[in-house]
């Protein structure tokens, strides 16, 4: 309910009809405003106090909102995708939506000779394993192997898609 109230109030703050907004003029006007004026504009568009006094942040977010009101916001399916992505990130269990495209399938064995020994790292669904120790990243596993900071993908000769170079 609050969102609808914000939208109608915001459109009124921008003029008689949001569809008739001169977006370029509105955006140019933001650059000429002082921080207190930007905060007043925020109050008029969002119906609440500005979250801070950062000129750059206020200009950026007001500019986005002005364009959103004039041209429409995100499509419903885009909003759903973003919500699902946020849920995945907040849960800490990255998978379906947030996955490193370089990461080979779980169960893959990455083998490299280092210091005269052959080292095998197993790809897990939630990380990597080397000598019975689990690591969140391939670089952390490689650090344990070499004692130095390496890019794990480069160490094993993997390219951007998870295949060998």
């Amino acid at each position: 309910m609050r969102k609808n109230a914000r939208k109608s109030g915001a459109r009124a703050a921008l003029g008689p009809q949001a569809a008739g907004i001169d977006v370029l003029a509105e955006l140019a006007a933001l650059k000429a405003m002082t921080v207190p004026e930007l905060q007043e504009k925020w109050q008029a568009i969002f119906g609440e106090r500005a979250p801070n006094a950062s000129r750059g942040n206020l200009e950026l977010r007001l500019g986005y909102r002005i364009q959103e009101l004039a041209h429409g916001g995100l499509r419903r399916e885009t909003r759903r995708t973003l919500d699902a992505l946020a849920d995945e990130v907040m849960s800490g269990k990255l998978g379906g939506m947030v996955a490193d495209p370089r990461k080979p399938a779980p169960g893959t064995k990455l083998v490299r000779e280092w210091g005269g020994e052959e080292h095998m790292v197993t790809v897990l669904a939630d990380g990597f394993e080397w000598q019975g120790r689990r690591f969140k990243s391939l670089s952390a596993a490689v650090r344990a192997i070499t004692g130095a900071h390496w890019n794990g993908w480069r160490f094993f000769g993997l390219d951007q898609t998870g295949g060998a170079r």
Side-chain angles (χ1 to χ4, degrees), residues 4 10 46-47 50 53 62 66 71 75 78 83 90 99-100 108 135 141 147-148:
N4 292 341
F46 289 100
L62 284 168
I66 289 166
H71 303 297
R75 293 189 327 247
T78 303
D83 288 342
M90 293 301 290
D100 192 330
T108 302
F135 300 91

Side-chain angles (χ1 to χ4, degrees), residues 2 15 57 60 85 106 120 133 141 158:
R2 180 176 157 89
N57 184 46
L60 185 69
L85 179 62
M120 183 169 38
R133 294 171 50 197
L158 300 174

Side-chain angles (χ1 to χ4, degrees), residues 80-99:
R80 270 194 227 123
T81 300
L82 289 172
D83 288 342
L85 179 62
D87 290 344
E88 187 174 310
V89 170
M90 293 301 290
S91 75
K93 296 181 181 175
L94 306 183
M97 297 198 75
V98 180

Side-chain angles (χ1 to χ4, degrees), residues 76-127:
R76 182 172 284 137
E77 71 183 56
T78 303
R79 215 173 268 264
R80 270 194 227 123
T81 300
L82 289 172
D83 288 342
L85 179 62
D87 290 344
E88 187 174 310
V89 170
M90 293 301 290
S91 75
K93 296 181 181 175
L94 306 183
M97 297 198 75
V98 180
D100 192 330
R102 300 172 298 182
K103 188 175 178 181
T108 302
K109 308 280 187 200
L110 304 173
V111 181
R112 162 87 192 258
E113 187 178 318
W114 179 262
E117 289 183 47
E118 188 175 87
H119 296 276
M120 183 169 38
V121 173
T122 304
V123 179
L124 306 173
D126 61 345

Side-chain angles (χ1 to χ4, degrees), residues 43-61:
Q43 177 74 40
I45 289 179
F46 289 100
E48 55 192 42
R49 289 187 50 211
N52 60 43
S54 165
R55 175 179 199 80
N57 184 46
L58 292 171
E59 284 179 4
L60 185 69
R61 291 182 62 192

